[in-house]
Amino acid sequence: MIEAFLFDVDGVLVEAVGIHKKAFKIACEHFNIDISDEYHDKFLNGLPTKIKALKLVEDFGFDVVNADKLNTIKQQKTIE
């Protein structure tokens, strides 16, 4: 007997990858970080925003203290 059924609709009903990438790039611009599409696609695509922020610490010297702010901006831009 089937007790549960999981279905991931991200990318099925709406292709949201471009929306999330654009929102993240806009959020990064608030901190003077300019990431290329190629960098995002190779290193960040599919990761949660907070994990992306940690990658920015390593690669761009991003101040991790601003990670929550970056996440908030990214979420606002995604909704817009």
Side-chain angles (χ1 to χ4, degrees), residues 1-16:
M1 176 197 306
I2 297 174
E3 295 185 25
F5 181 75
L6 299 175
F7 184 71
D8 178 8
V9 296
D10 188 30
V12 176
L13 300 176
V14 175
E15 184 55 58

Side-chain angles (χ1 to χ4, degrees), residues 16-78:
V17 171
I19 295 168
H20 287 284
K21 179 169 44 175
K22 183 175 180 180
F24 186 75
K25 290 179 73 171
I26 291 169
C28 286
E29 289 171 2
H30 280 78
F31 299 96
N32 297 316
I33 298 173
D34 183 25
I35 60 171
S36 68
D37 286 340
E38 294 78 18
Y39 174 85
H40 185 278
D41 294 346
K42 185 173 182 178
F43 299 109
L44 305 176
N45 192 37
L47 297 174
T49 303
K50 291 184 180 184
I51 301 300
K52 289 180 181 184
L54 294 177
K55 184 74 173 145
L56 295 179
V57 170
E58 296 172 11
D59 295 348
F60 293 92
F62 177 68
D63 188 349
V64 73
V65 172
N66 291 317
D68 285 336
K69 179 74 172 167
L70 184 138
N71 187 56
T72 299
I73 295 168
K74 190 270 182 181
Q75 297 307 325
Q76 289 171 341
K77 295 300 176 185
T78 301

